[in-house]
Every structure is written in structure tokens, then in C-alpha cells.
């Protein structure tokens, strides 16, 4: 029988939408965002659980990270070894985590951005707190276990974390259409905040801030917008302003030095190098003359960046300048987004603590229910053994008179004596009264004879008393939320006492950094650009002394001020602005710097057509001519713009800018084509237009011809050129009308 193929017809857009939403939710829930209960992303949770399973405890030898990563990838996290190792490394870095969860041995990177060594070289094991506060109750069935990706193993859906890890260690992650950024906090303060919430669930965010002062970054630093914290923690979003800690030390000769001993958390990594480069740039650009030298003396002992200052420096103004112009003051964007109840949710401080506390009650309930069940089972067996010891002679008689274990067990449980031989009728009557439970009977049958020793009997009775105490204790805890709260708080206090540390980040209100920027002394200079696009600036006396060499070596010599801007016009119709102060200044024999490096001009894709200073263009008119013969005049003031790059003229498809020139004191224009057509007409025939216009046609071209050169002549100016080995006097050409063919030469 022929089987029909099932074809489902649907809109392609619907399939794309559904597939993308599925992918987005997978990234959000199963990869990028932490769970509000344990504060861990799936890769972190799986790595810690795998270390727990491998027995890599805090009091055991370190194991190779490659073993941990491989095992985690093979069992729980099939998303590549690099993501697992990166998560493992971050959990071991003290400068990134408020409370490191992994004890790393080997090169795990540095605060200055150095990467960790390859996983085959490094070793790791669990930290003590991770074992005691994150993984301790996994054997007590307090969390659900779910199948792994190929359903060959079981993994915990969430770890039974007893401290608010989401707040202590913070979190960073980029999902699809959303991102999380939660700052780390102080363990002691967070535990005090949790206790305060458990005692008063109606506590406000403002009241909570008396316990949890604010973020506590592992790099220290200073939070300078204390008054904004209440709103940030209420909404779960906002910006925290961070500053590094700066100390002033006395140096020799009455000089001072600024020493940065703590950095903003956002500067961790490559941004330390960027900070040093920013300070170099401030010195090179003459923004400050107060810094004589800068050195990074940081070591394992901590951060120490030293700025040597000149004598008489205004240190307060310099500090404010560093706050403004470098990352010594930075913002940490807070977005407290986490997975709660299987969906992403932005939460304030109180909701995060509420979720944690509810999770603790859930863990405690499951834990003590399981413990109670075990103790009740023990109680049942212990009572059976104690009772059996009192009638041990009868039980021995039953065992000796039974043909098999089934008959003996039936007698112990139901008092059935029909198949058993007894020595006396009284024994049979006593045996008929026995009513042990199934489990008690099994325990009696498995009991060893040494248990009948007096001391063993006494130990059994004491053990039974302990069991009864535990049962009463567990029933009390389960019977009252208040009693359970006391147990949770007692455990939190234990962690606080053992693992608490002093706050590192100071919280205060500080005024906005204000500094007086020294105005540049305005002086006349000459900007020089050679044919290779290297530019520099020299003062006028230097130019005058080297005028002959400067004019011969430079394509452009532009008199201007050091506060001026240079306009670069390219064949693509773009205008690029360069600040004269960005040019190397001083020595004539300096090569200069490529224009590509200090502007958006790209010499590989554009050709420089014309260059002049913005001040020289203002109040004058600039002529634009394209290779297709389009012309227009533009007022120079239109090029005074704030953008570094803007369109100087509009070009048609396939057209390019051929020339740009000032029209001052010029009367006629000559267009020369590739095929030797020359057209001379009055400049007044070219209209003045906006820079966004295309312009008007200057010459009628044949289909395979284009304009090759443009010349401007004054009223009595004479100019002769050589074209195809013929000398042509441009000033002798007849003046014709614009938009004609011209004459052949």
C-alpha cells in the first residue's frame, strides 16, 4: 500500500517567529540568566555539581580543570569547553566575585586583563563555603533532579544554596533582547538584610538600606551617588557612579604624587590599560601639564598606579579632570533581571530577598520532612528490637521451631503458630500474641546475636531516646513557620560568622566632578601636509626659516590658528574635519602623522582633492567640479559643522569629485576633457547652491568622454599648459557659453 507523505502548509513568517521565540527563550532560561533562587547560571550550576560528584572537595587534592570541564561537558553542558572553562575561571577570580566559589590553583588570570592559562595546566577544587552553603543538602532530596540533555544522567534543577548568592556574587549576562547586570554585595550585610526581612516581611527598601548599605565590589572603590540607591533598589534598574580611591603622597623636593589604590569595578581587565593610555593622551594633547610621569606598580598585594606631579600642582583640579576624562569615575548599569518561576523578571532588592527566603522555607520543609521520615523509620525498627530483646527466648524458640523464614516472619507479624513446633503450650500462646510490623520483623530476623550483650542493649535504648528527641525537634520545626525561621537564621549566622568580611566599597554622596580646563593659548601656525597624507603643524617663525624646503616637500601649506580646523575634501564628495591641535606640533623635521589616524579619512578608499582651514573658507565661495562635468558654487560657511565627517556635495551614480577650489578674484573657468575638448566660460554662469545639491552641467560630453582637469583664471591672469606635447595658452581660448561642447585641441 502506498503511504502518503504528510505535508504541513503554513506561513514561513509564522515558522520563523515561532523558531526565533523558542531560541530566544532557550538562551534566556537555559544559558544567559541566573535563577533567582541559587543565583547561578546553568553552566555555573552544572560545573559546581560536577565537581561535587567528582568529589573535588575543599579538603581534598586539586584536580585538573580539563578533567572538570570534560566531565561537565560530557554529562551536563554540551555547549563547548570554552564556555565551561570561562565560567570556572570567573568563579575562582577574587577580583570578579564577591565570594569566589572555586579554589583555583595555577594561573587564573589577573585583574589587569591577562587570561587564564589553558585548562590542561590549571587545577581547581571547591571552596569550603561552596561545599557547606551551596551543595551540602543535595543528598537529602531537597531539590528536584531532572534528566540531562541525553537522559543518561540526573542533574539538580537548582542547587540548595543557603545564602543569597544572587546578591553576594552578582551576575552579568546577555540574553536575546535583554541583559542582566547585578552588582556584588557584602555577605554580612546581605545576611542581616535577609534576617530583617524574615522578622518583618513588610520592610521597605529604604529600611532595608540600613542593613544592606549598597554594592560591595571586590575591587573596592567609592560609590558616589548614595541618594540614588533607594530608587535603584526599588526598581531594580539604574546607574551606580563609581570612583577609584586616590591618595596623595609627598615626594622629594616638595612635589606630590597621586596614588590610585582602588579602581572602579568596571575598570577590571583591559580597561586598566585603557586608563593609562587616556592619561598619556591628556598629557600629549596638552590638556594637562601637571603629570610628569605615570607608572603601574600593581602587584599581587593590590592596585598601585602612581602619577608623579609637578611642583605646585592643583591636585584637586587634576583629580576632577581624571574623573571627567578617564574611567577613574565610571558608571555601573544595574538591571536586576533573573529567572523567577521559569520566566525572566526584573526585580528590586526586596523581591530578590523574598524569593530567596521562600526558597529557604521550601528547602527546609523538604529537608526536615525527609529527616523526620527517616527518624520515624528508625523509631519503628528500634522499638521492635527493644521489644524483641524482652522476649528473646520466645523468638529463639519460634526460629528453632520454624521450617523456613516465611513461617517465622508470619508468626512475628500476625501471631500465626500452626506450622511451628513449640516446647510448651505456654510458649505457643505467647507467640500467638506477637504483633510486630513487617519492617520490625525483618530487622529482628537480621539481628546479630552480639546485640543481646547488655551494653549493646543500653546503646540501643539511648539511640532510641535520641531518635525520639529528633522526631520531636523535626515535628516542632515543621509545625511552626517561626521555629523553621529560627533554624534558617541560626544557619545564616553560622555562615556570617565564618565567612563574613569587612566592606571594601565606600558608600557616600559626592559632588559632580568639576574642573577648570585651561584654555589653549591661540597662536598662528602653518599646517603642512605632504603627498603621502602625513600632516604636522609648525609655528610661523619655523615655517619662515624653512620655507623653501616646506614648500617643496609639502603638497599643502595652510596658514591657520592652533585652535582652527582643517577641511579635507575627497573624490567621494565627503568632507572630513581635523583639529589642528591634534596634529604633531613643533619640530619641522618631524614626519608628522597620517591624516587617516586623526580623522575618518580613509586614504585607501578616498583620494584627497582639496584641503584648507575652516577659517579661510568662512565668508568665501568654493567651486565644486565633478568628472561628469557637473558644477556649482557653495558658500564656505556651510562647511562649519560639528560632525567629523559630512557630505560636502551630492554626486550622481558613478560620478566622482574632480576639483574643489576657492573662486576669490577668479573670472573664468576652463574645463578640459580626456579627449582634448576645452571649454572656457564665465564663472558667473555657475550658480551658487547648497552643498546638498548636484549642481549644473558645465560641458556637454560625448558618451565615452569625461572631464579631466579644471582651471580658474583671474581677469588678466595668463596660464599655459602642455596637453599631448602641445602647449596651450588657456587665457587665449575664446570665451563661450556654459553647457556647450567646447573646442578640440
Amino acid at each position: 500500500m502506498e503511504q502518503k507523505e504528510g505535508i504541513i502548509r503554513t506561513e514561513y513568517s509564522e515558522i520563523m517567529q515561532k523558531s526565533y521565540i523558542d531560541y530566544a527563550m532557550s538562551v534566556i532560561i537555559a544559558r544567559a540568566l541566573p535563577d533567582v533562587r541559587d543565583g547561578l547560571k546553568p553552566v555555573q550550576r552544572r560545573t559546581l555539581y560536577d565537581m561535587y560528584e567528582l568529589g573535588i572537595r575543599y579538603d581534598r587534592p586539586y584536580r585538573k580543570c580539563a578533567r572538570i570541564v570534560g566531565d561537565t561537558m560530557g554529562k551536563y553542558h554540551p555547549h563547548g569547553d570554552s564556555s565551561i572553562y570561562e565560567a570556572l575561571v570567573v568563579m575562582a577570580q577574587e577580583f570578579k566575585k564577591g565570594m569566589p566559589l572555586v579554589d583555583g590553583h595555577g594561573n587564573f588570570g589577573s585583574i589587569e586583563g591577562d587570561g587564564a592559562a589553558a585548562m590542561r595546566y590549571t587545577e581547581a577544587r571547591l571552596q569550603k563555603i561552596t561545599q557547606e552553603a551551596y551543595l551540602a543538602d543535595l543528598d537529602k532530596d531537597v531539590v528536584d533532579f531532572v534528566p540531562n540533555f541525553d537522559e543518561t544522567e540526573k542533574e539538580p534543577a537548582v542547587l540548595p544554596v543557603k545564602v543569597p548568592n544572587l546578591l553576594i556574587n552578582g551576575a552579568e549576562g546577555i540574553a536575546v533582547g535583554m541583559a542582566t547586570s547585578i552588582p556584588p554585595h557584602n555577605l554580612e550585610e546581605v545576611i542581616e538584610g535577609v534576617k530583617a526581612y524574615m522578622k518583618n516581611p513588610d520592610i521597605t527598601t529604604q529600611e532595608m538600606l540600613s542593613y544592606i548599605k549598597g554594592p560591595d565590589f571586590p575591587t573596592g572603590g567609592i560609590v558616589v551617588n548614595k541618594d540614588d540607591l533607594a530608587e535603584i533598589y526599588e526598581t531594580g534598574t539604574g546607574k551606580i557612579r563609581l570612583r577609584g580611591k586616590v591618595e596623595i603622597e609627598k615626594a622629594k623636593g616638595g612635589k606630590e604624587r597621586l596614588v590610585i589604590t582602588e579602581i572602579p569595578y568596571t575598570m577590571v581587565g583591559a580597561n586598566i590599560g585603557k586608563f593609562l593610555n587616556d592619561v598619556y593622551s591628556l598629557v600629549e594633547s596638552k590638556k594637562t601639564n601637571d603629570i610628569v610621569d605615570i607608572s603601574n606598580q600593581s602587584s599581587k598585594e593590590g592596585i598601585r598606579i602612581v602619577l608623579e606631579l609637578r611642583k605646585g600642582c592643583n591636585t584637586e583640579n587634576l583629580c576632577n579632570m581624571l574623573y571627567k576624562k578617564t574611567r577613574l569615575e565610571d558608571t555601573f548599569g544595574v538591571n536586576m533581571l533573573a529567572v523567577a518561576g521559569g520566566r525572566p523578571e526584573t526585580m528590586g532588592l526586596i523581591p530578590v530577598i523574598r524569593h530567596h527566603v521562600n526558597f529557604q522555607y521550601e528547602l527546609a520543609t523538604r529537608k526536615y520532612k525527609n529527616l523526620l521520615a527517616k527518624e520515624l523509620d528508625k523509631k519503628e525498627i528500634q522499638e521492635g528490637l527493644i521489644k524483641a530483646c524482652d522476649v528473646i527466648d520466645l523468638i529463639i524458640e519460634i526460629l528453632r521451631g520454624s521450617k523456613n523464614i516465611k513461617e517465622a516472619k508470619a508468626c512475628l507479624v500476625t501471631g500465626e503458630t500452626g506450622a511451628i513446633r513449640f516446647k510448651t503450650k505456654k510458649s505457643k500462646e505467647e507467640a500467638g500474641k506477637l504483633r510486630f510490623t513487617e519492617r520490625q520483623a525483618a530487622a529482628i530476623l537480621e539481628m546479630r546475636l552480639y546485640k543481646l550483650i547488655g551494653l549493646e542493649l543500653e546503646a540501643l535504648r539511648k539511640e532510641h531516646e535520641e531518635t525520639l528527641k529528633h522526631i520531636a525537634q523535626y515535628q516542632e520545626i515543621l509545625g511552626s513557620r517561626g521555629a523553621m525561621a529560627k533554624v534558617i537564621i541560626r544557619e545564616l549566622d553560622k555562615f556570617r560568622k565564618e565567612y563574613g568580611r569587612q566592606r571594601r566599597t565606600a558608600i557616600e554622596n559626592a559632588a559632580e566632578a568639576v574642573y577648570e580646563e585651561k584654555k589653549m593659548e591661540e597662536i598662528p601656525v602653518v599646517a603642512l601636509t605632504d603627498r603621502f597624507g602625513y600632516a604636522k603643524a609648525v609655528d610661523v617663525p619655523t615655517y619662515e626659516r624653512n620655507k623653501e624646503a616646506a614648500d617643496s616637500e609639502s603638497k599643502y601649506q595652510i596658514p591657520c590658528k592652533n585652535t582652527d580646523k582643517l577641511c579635507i575634501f575627497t573624490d567621494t564628495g565627503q568632507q572630513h574635519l581635523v583639529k589642528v591641535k591634534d596634529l604633531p606640533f613643533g619640530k619641522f623635521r618631524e614626519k608628522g602623522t597620517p591624516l587617516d589616524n586623526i580623522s575618518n579619512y580613509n586614504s585607501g578608499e578616498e583620494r584627497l582633492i582639496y584641503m584648507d582651514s575652516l577659517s579661510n573658507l568662512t565668508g568665501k565661495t568654493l567651486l565644486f567640479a565633478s568628472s561628469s562635468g557637473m558644477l556649482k558654487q557653495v558658500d564656505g560657511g556651510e562647511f562649519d559643522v560639528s560632525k567629523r565627517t559630512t557630505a560636502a556635495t551630492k554626486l550622481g551614480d558613478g560620478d566622482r569629485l574632480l576639483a574643489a577650489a576657492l573662486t576669490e578674484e577668479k573670472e573664468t573657468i576652463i574645463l578640459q576633457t580626456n579627449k582634448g575638448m576645452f571649454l572656457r566660460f564665465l564663472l558667473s554662469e555657475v550658480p551658487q547652491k547648497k552643498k546638498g545639491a548636484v549642481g549644473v552641467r558645465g560641458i556637454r560630453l560625448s558618451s565615452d568622454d569625461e572631464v579631466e582637469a579644471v582651471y580658474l583664471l583671474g581677469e588678466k591672469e595668463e596660464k599655459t599648459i602642455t596637453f599631448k606635447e602641445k602647449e596651450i595658452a588657456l587665457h587665449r581660448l575664446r570665451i563661450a557659453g556654459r553647457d556647450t561642447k567646447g573646442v578640440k585641441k
Side-chain angles (χ1 to χ4, degrees):
M1 183 179 175
E2 187 179 344
Q3 186 176 359
K4 290 186 178 180
E5 186 177 355
I7 299 175
I8 300 171
R9 294 187 178 276
T10 184
E11 277 288 328
Y12 187 70
S13 60
E14 289 178 13
I15 291 178
M16 288 296 292
Q17 185 178 6
K18 183 180 182 302
S19 300
Y20 191 76
I21 288 172
D22 290 345
Y23 160 72
M25 287 306 294
S26 170
V27 172
I28 291 165
I29 304 299
R31 208 181 295 186
L33 300 187
D35 192 297
V36 70
R37 295 171 295 176
D38 62 5
L40 298 169
K41 296 181 190 179
V43 65
Q44 296 170 323
R45 184 181 304 118
R46 288 164 174 168
T47 304
L48 293 177
Y49 177 65
D50 186 75
M51 293 175 76
Y52 170 81
E53 282 289 281
L54 290 172
I56 312 173
R57 311 297 165 86
Y58 77 95
D59 53 354
R60 295 187 186 174
Y62 294 95
R63 297 281 288 277
K64 284 285 184 188
C65 290
R67 170 67 198 276
I68 298 166
V69 171
D71 205 61
T72 304
M73 184 167 62
K75 287 182 179 177
Y76 310 115
H77 197 75
H79 297 294
D81 55 358
S82 59
S83 62
I84 300 170
Y85 186 49
E86 187 179 336
L88 181 68
V89 166
V90 170
M91 286 193 289
Q93 291 176 327
E94 291 185 352
F95 50 86
K96 280 193 180 175
K97 288 292 179 186
M99 182 69 65
L101 305 180
V102 171
D103 179 8
H105 185 239
N107 176 13
F108 274 77
S110 74
I111 195 171
E112 295 180 16
D114 301 314
M119 66 180 85
R120 61 183 177 273
Y121 300 120
T122 54
E123 298 176 330
R125 63 185 178 190
L126 293 171
Q127 291 276 15
K128 189 179 180 185
I129 187 173
T130 315
Q131 198 170 314
E132 293 183 351
Y134 289 66
L135 301 158
D137 289 336
L138 274 173
D139 57 343
K140 295 182 176 65
D141 190 30
V142 292
V143 293
D144 294 330
F145 278 73
V146 294
N148 69 338
F149 62 92
D150 62 0
E151 299 189 355
T152 58
E153 301 276 346
K154 291 278 190 179
E155 61 174 306
V158 62
L159 290 187
V161 179
K162 297 175 183 177
V163 293
N165 180 59
L166 188 65
L167 292 175
I168 292 167
N169 272 327
E172 285 184 11
I174 300 172
V176 177
M178 58 186 71
T180 185
S181 180
I182 303 172
H185 295 78
N186 184 274
L187 176 94
E188 288 191 14
E189 292 180 2
V190 171
I191 286 176
E192 287 303 311
V194 169
K195 287 163 59 179
Y197 174 82
M198 292 177 75
K199 291 170 184 173
N200 175 22
D202 297 323
I203 190 171
T204 64
T205 303
Q206 191 65 55
E207 290 169 339
M208 183 59 76
L209 286 175
S210 63
Y211 300 97
I212 303 173
K213 312 293 183 188
D216 186 23
F217 296 101
T219 55
I222 306 165
V223 171
V224 294
N225 59 334
K226 182 180 179 181
D227 288 346
D228 296 339
L229 294 181
E231 186 179 352
I232 291 170
Y233 283 127
E234 182 66 36
T235 61
T237 59
K239 289 184 178 179
I240 292 171
R241 277 177 40 226
L242 274 170
R243 283 182 187 172
K245 187 177 179 183
V246 181
E247 296 175 356
I248 299 171
E249 293 182 359
K250 298 292 182 185
K252 292 179 181 178
K255 294 181 180 179
E256 292 180 324
R257 62 169 72 101
L258 289 183
V259 181
I260 299 163
T261 56
E262 294 176 9
I263 57 172
Y265 186 63
T266 51
M267 204 193 279
V268 169
N271 285 326
I272 293 180
K274 188 177 184 309
F275 167 74
L276 297 173
N277 287 333
D278 288 343
V279 176
Y280 294 144
S281 298
L282 290 175
V283 176
E284 284 182 1
S285 62
K286 310 293 184 188
K287 289 278 178 65
T288 178
N289 298 318
D290 294 334
I291 300 173
V292 177
D293 187 29
I294 179 170
S295 58
N296 186 2
Q297 301 174 12
S298 304
S299 63
K300 289 182 179 179
E301 280 67 47
I303 292 290
R304 183 177 169 86
I305 299 171
V306 181
L307 280 67
E308 301 286 348
L309 309 179
R310 68 173 176 79
K311 194 172 181 179
C313 164
N314 184 343
T315 52
E316 184 180 349
N317 193 50
L318 180 60
C319 282
N320 286 336
M321 182 187 199
L322 295 173
Y323 292 144
K324 274 285 187 184
K325 297 289 186 181
T326 72
R327 298 192 78 153
L328 191 59
E329 180 178 312
D330 207 355
T331 56
F332 182 95
V334 176
N335 188 29
M336 297 173 70
L337 181 70
V339 176
R343 54 183 294 173
E345 186 181 334
T346 301
M347 292 167 278
L349 184 60
I350 301 294
V352 169
I353 292 175
R354 183 186 305 122
H355 278 289
H356 169 75
V357 170
N358 290 341
F359 182 52
Q360 294 312 301
Y361 280 122
E362 183 186 324
L363 291 177
T365 301
R366 287 183 65 162
K367 175 182 176 180
Y368 288 108
K369 274 185 177 178
N370 290 329
L371 289 175
L372 178 62
K374 286 180 182 177
E375 292 298 319
L376 288 172
D377 289 345
K378 280 168 66 178
K379 172 177 173 281
E380 180 185 344
I381 291 169
Q382 288 165 355
E383 287 176 346
L385 292 175
I386 290 169
K387 183 179 173 185
C389 288
D390 292 339
V391 290
I392 193 64
D393 293 334
L394 177 61
I395 290 172
I396 290 170
E397 193 174 333
I398 292 168
L399 293 175
R400 295 188 69 180
S402 302
K403 293 176 185 175
N404 53 52
I405 197 167
K406 187 178 179 182
E407 291 177 357
K409 191 172 184 180
C411 181
L412 293 173
V413 175
T414 62
E416 189 178 324
T417 59
I420 301 173
R421 295 194 313 272
F422 289 93
K423 292 181 180 179
T424 64
K425 189 177 181 181
K426 185 180 178 184
S427 295
K428 188 173 183 178
E429 289 174 3
E430 291 293 326
K433 296 176 185 176
L434 295 175
R435 292 294 184 273
F436 290 101
T437 66
E438 287 277 348
R439 297 180 67 190
Q440 286 174 338
I444 290 166
L445 292 170
E446 291 171 3
M447 185 176 68
R448 298 186 178 186
L449 288 174
Y450 77 86
K451 289 285 185 183
L452 300 174
I453 298 170
L455 289 175
E456 288 292 326
L457 287 172
E458 188 63 32
L460 179 62
R461 288 192 176 92
K462 282 185 179 178
E463 190 181 337
H464 181 54
E465 287 174 11
E466 284 295 315
T467 301
L468 292 176
K469 282 181 187 176
H470 288 154
I471 289 170
Q473 180 187 348
Y474 298 155
Q475 286 175 337
E476 182 187 356
I477 291 169
L478 290 166
S480 162
R481 194 173 175 89
M484 190 177 286
K486 285 180 181 176
V487 172
I488 294 170
I489 288 172
R490 191 160 55 242
E491 207 161 23
L492 285 173
D493 282 335
K494 185 187 82 172
F495 294 132
R496 178 181 178 276
K497 184 178 179 182
E498 187 167 355
Y499 301 109
R501 56 163 178 75
Q502 285 189 337
R503 163 173 280 280
R504 296 170 182 168
T505 302
I507 309 286
E508 61 184 52
N509 282 314
E512 184 79 21
V514 178
Y515 81 99
E516 296 176 10
E517 190 167 355
K518 289 182 180 178
K519 288 186 178 180
M520 185 182 290
E521 183 185 350
E522 192 174 81
I523 58 170
V525 297
V526 178
L528 304 173
T529 306
D530 65 17
R531 60 193 178 91
F532 300 109
Y534 280 79
K536 62 189 174 190
V538 295
D539 57 32
V540 175
T542 302
Y543 172 72
E544 294 293 346
R545 285 196 304 271
N546 301 276
K547 189 174 188 308
E548 189 176 338
D551 292 350
S552 63
E553 294 171 8
S554 305
K555 187 176 179 181
Y556 295 97
Q557 308 90 33
I558 303 169
C560 54
K561 297 284 180 66
N562 59 343
T563 55
D564 207 346
K565 293 179 183 177
L566 299 180
C567 294
I568 300 171
F569 297 96
T570 69
D571 64 343
T572 59
Q574 296 292 305
Q575 172 206 351
H576 302 291
L577 286 179
V578 177
K579 292 179 180 178
V580 175
K581 66 179 183 179
D582 290 341
L583 298 176
F585 178 76
K587 296 178 181 177
F588 176 73
R589 285 298 162 197
E590 255 188 25
K591 188 172 184 181
T593 190
L595 290 170
D596 301 51
N597 293 358
I598 51 175
S599 69
N600 293 335
Y601 168 60
N602 186 338
S603 59
E605 298 176 3
E606 304 173 274
R607 187 165 63 87
L608 198 157
I609 297 297
Y610 180 69
M611 187 173 178
D612 208 339
S613 68
L614 189 59
S615 60
N616 193 39
L617 293 178
T618 306
K620 295 177 184 176
T621 305
L622 202 62
L623 173 75
F624 284 94
S626 76
S627 59
S628 66
M630 302 303 290
L631 303 173
K632 68 175 177 182
Q633 296 191 67
V634 181
D635 179 59
E638 288 205 35
F639 304 109
D640 188 359
V641 292
S642 56
K643 290 184 179 178
R644 293 183 69 189
T645 299
T646 185
T649 185
K650 189 175 182 181
L651 296 172
D653 291 341
D655 201 3
R656 60 189 175 84
L657 187 63
L658 183 66
L662 288 173
T663 60
E664 189 180 18
E665 298 179 0
K666 303 298 180 182
E667 184 187 37
T668 59
I669 177 172
I670 297 102
L671 301 179
Q672 174 210 319
T673 74
N674 197 25
K675 291 197 168 183
M677 300 299 293
F678 285 79
L679 176 62
R680 183 185 181 196
F681 56 92
L682 293 172
L683 188 60
S684 57
E685 290 192 52
V686 180
Q688 185 165 319
K689 291 183 174 290
K690 295 291 183 184
K691 64 179 182 177
V694 176
V696 297
R697 189 164 61 183
I699 186 171
R700 290 188 183 182
L701 297 168
S702 57
S703 59
D704 56 347
D705 201 3
E706 67 176 7
V707 177
E708 189 179 72
V710 181
Y711 305 98
L712 291 173
L713 294 181
E715 186 178 355
K716 295 179 181 179
E717 187 179 349
E718 296 182 2
K719 188 173 182 67
T720 302
I721 65 164
T722 302
F723 178 72
K724 292 184 179 178
E725 299 181 355
K726 286 195 301 182
E727 286 195 349
I728 298 171
L730 298 178
H731 56 282
R732 293 186 183 277
L733 291 172
R734 183 176 61 85
I735 295 177
R738 180 183 63 79
D739 198 17
T740 56
K741 288 187 175 181
V743 293
K744 178 82 173 175
K745 291 290 183 181

